[in-house]
Amino acid sequence: MYRLGIDVGGTFTDLVAVDDKGQVTLAKAASTPDDPSLGVMDGLDELAKALGLELGALLGLAERIVHGTTVSTNALLERKGAKVGLLTTAGHRDVLEMREGLKPERYNLRLARQAPLVPRQLRLGVRERLRADGSVEVALDMASLDQAIAVLKRHKVTSVAVCYLHAYRDDRHEQLTRQRLAEALPDVPVCLSCEILPQIKEYERVSTTVVNAYVAPTLEGYLRRLERRLEEAGYTGPLLVILSHGGIAPVAEAIRLAVGTVLSGPAGGVAGARHAANLSGIGDLIPFDMGGTSTDISLIVEGRPTLANDREVVNQRIALPSLDIVTLGAGGGSIAGVDRGGILQVGPQSAGAVPGPVCYGQGGSKPTVTDANLVLGYLDPNNFLGGRRRLDLVAAQAALDELGRELGVDGVAAAEGVHRVVNTQMAEGVRLATVRRGVDPRRFALLAFGGAAGLHATELARQLSLGRVVVPRVASVLSAWGMLATELRLESIRTHIGDTSALDAAAVRTLFDDMAAAGRHRVEAWIKGPIETRRAADMRYGEQIFEIDVPLDAIDFAAEDVIERIKSAFEERHEALYTYSLEDQDPVLVNARVATVGTLPALPREPRAAAGTPAEPRGHRRIHLDHWRQVPVYDFRELAAGQVIAGPAMVESETTTVLLRPGDKATATPERWLDIRVD
């Protein structure tokens, strides 16, 4: 039997099959942006061929498929989501534009106005009002509601978001509104804030619900289409989708909480990094995922990824728990050009899968990072994707020559400049994820993965004073591989505000118990296996305007002094994050959080390689490192465990190329990974 992982990226769709013995088989196919499911099926064909099977036979042997998708992200990026109507409490229709009273970049006087996802004529106030305690101030006015629905119907909206004031306390008005919408607009999906994000903070709740309504129809269309194609090809098992918090869920849940898939693709990379940390025994890692269109950077601390509860994604506030990932517009397909001041720039525009870099020969005319790496000799034009695609070195050279003319240098110098600029940009991204958050990156190892990371990782490490880089054998498809090592996960949240000195222990205990029971009931429908509950809280001091997440798993909620224990847990967490706590102040509990986790069978560990005779280079290649030089080229798959390779050298497989610079010393591990020490 096989477990299949699929990660749809901007340039390539990555696929992994893991059998019962842990043997890993990789495949790649070009992504198909107009209909990503076509690229998925092409990739499955390639994966079946790599295993010596027909597609139907492979799918018949597949016990589950885990999928990471960029459909929701692309809908936001390209503004190609649903036509959303927003129903909200009268007088609150402009919350989306007022935000929190601040600009995203408050000191940028030339900041262009960001148009909200819902235009003002489709943001409609309805007469109703709940108080903060959930009591009714103004009953839902059905005539007012009908008038608003008539406007939405006239404008032919394709999705509706409903977000009434204080609906997190009592959902009666939102539920009545859904019933009325179902009668008037039976084919239009409806998203209620009481179900998407039942917590305090109006702007975050409105924004998150609107994003959900905006991307849900597009995501549903894609996932249903993929399900149908898989079924027609012979697959009868479950299709699971990785969500932004790093857990997975069935298709129906992914569609219901579509906003939770906005970071689906990058989440797979962090899941893979967490699994890599467990396998390698390196608890502190900086996952560095450089793909075709972007680079994602995150942190693994003591074997665990960091989470954030309030993210900006494409200028949209999403207040769901998600992995804390910094995304840069820097990838293999990032386009290089010269600005009006004559300065070389790389990205954020990308050539994507179509037309792709110039060297792909698909109509691309602007030089990219991949073209520069080819001109510098880092890529073999005859051995890209295992020889299935030939790269056009002549066309890439011509594009870099043209760029060089604009800069006043030759094409090789222009290519070298592109390589250096993108490295500097990515180093700044790592600083953003570490130094600017109070973390010293020098105690971390860099985990390099994604199709392009191996060519940039050791130079990036030098710029950051990191001494160690790890490149897994599955580096180019680590996101797809990592999805198979994660867990089913349902996140629940409820607002329950109060100073710890005034909280009722029985009420807090009941709140968490009820949330845990409800979560278990839902996850039991997804899995027949062990289920565990993880508890946490969002807390702050009274004068603070932000909360921190406080893990509560170590607390015995049956204890009489449970509130004191929660207070102590907050103080310990605050001390760990900010080096101080205020014992004479009562912290405030704001939100209760419960994660219900269904544990899947562990991913089998791939057989370890035995030490043997070191592999000889399969050839030599001319590459440019300050000057042209001949360097040995090794086959990644043939390296013996314990073999040491000193740079400069190249290490290649079908889907990964690693550049070892002078001073780099790579050791092949029993897992067939490269453990590189950087001088």
Side-chain angles (χ1 to χ4, degrees), residues 442-466:
R442 291 174 295 182
R443 69 182 178 89
F444 289 76
L446 191 70
L447 180 71
F449 61 100
L455 296 177
H456 301 265
T458 63
E459 180 58 26
L460 194 64
R462 278 186 177 80
Q463 291 193 29
L464 295 162
S465 299
L466 307 182

Side-chain angles (χ1 to χ4, degrees), residues 25 45 82 158 368 421 520 552 593 598 610 644:
T25 305
D45 272 328
T158 57
T368 66
V421 167
R520 177 174 288 273
L552 302 178
R593 294 185 180 273
V644 177

Side-chain angles (χ1 to χ4, degrees), residues 15 138 215 231 392 396 438 578 603 609:
L15 301 97
V138 177
V215 302
E231 184 179 349
D392 191 338
Y578 305 112
L603 189 67

Side-chain angles (χ1 to χ4, degrees), residues 14-17 24-28 43 46-47 50-51 388 473-478 481 606 653-656:
D14 301 333
L15 301 97
V16 168
V24 179
T25 305
L26 323 177
K28 275 181 176 282
E46 293 293 335
L47 189 60
L51 290 165
R388 296 198 310 274
R473 185 179 71 86
V474 294
S476 66
V477 294
L478 188 123
W481 174 73
E606 191 170 16
S653 70
E654 283 192 10
T655 58
T656 302

Side-chain angles (χ1 to χ4, degrees), residues 524-536:
E524 282 174 345
W526 302 353
I527 183 177
K528 290 179 172 55
I531 296 174
E532 63 178 271
T533 297
R534 300 170 188 169
R535 304 183 182 202

Side-chain angles (χ1 to χ4, degrees), residues 231 290 320 355 398 446 541 554:
E231 184 179 349
M290 184 178 181
L320 290 175
L446 191 70
Y541 285 119

Side-chain angles (χ1 to χ4, degrees), residues 652-676:
E652 294 181 339
S653 70
E654 283 192 10
T655 58
T656 302
T657 301
V658 180
L659 169 63
L660 298 177
R661 293 175 172 271
D664 296 342
K665 186 175 289 186
T667 303
T669 72
E671 291 80 16
R672 300 178 178 85
W673 296 7
L674 288 182
D675 190 344
I676 306 169

Side-chain angles (χ1 to χ4, degrees), residues 253-426:
E253 175 65 12
I255 292 170
R256 183 194 74 83
L257 198 64
V259 63
T261 68
V262 167
L263 293 175
S264 172
V270 180
R274 179 179 58 185
H275 191 48
N278 294 335
L279 293 179
S280 65
I282 307 172
D284 294 334
L285 288 172
I286 300 173
F288 164 57
D289 179 5
M290 184 178 181
T293 57
S294 63
T295 292
D296 298 313
I297 299 164
S298 53
L299 277 179
I300 301 290
V301 181
E302 297 180 354
R304 297 179 61 182
T306 56
L307 288 171
N309 295 322
D310 202 356
R311 293 292 308 275
E312 289 273 350
V313 181
V314 198
N315 296 316
Q316 305 300 324
R317 183 70 61 84
I318 297 175
L320 290 175
S322 63
L323 294 167
D324 197 1
I325 300 170
V326 174
T327 299
L328 308 174
S334 293
I335 294 171
V338 181
D339 67 12
R340 288 182 295 181
I343 304 298
L344 175 64
Q345 289 191 329
V346 181
Q349 293 80 20
S350 173
V354 180
V358 175
C359 60
Y360 284 10
Q362 298 176 163
S365 59
K366 297 179 179 179
T368 66
V369 173
T370 296
D371 295 308
N373 287 333
L374 179 62
V375 168
L376 294 170
Y378 304 157
L379 295 173
D380 183 349
N382 299 315
N383 193 37
F384 193 68
L385 292 180
R388 296 198 310 274
R389 169 177 280 178
R390 292 177 62 87
L391 301 179
D392 191 338
L393 176 58
V394 174
Q397 182 68 66
L400 268 301
D401 286 342
E402 177 61 32
L403 179 65
R405 278 190 286 272
E406 295 184 60
L407 293 167
V409 298
D410 63 26
V412 172
E416 195 171 30
V418 171
H419 190 81
R420 288 178 176 175
V421 167
V422 79
N423 285 343
T424 301
Q425 290 175 345
M426 293 185 295

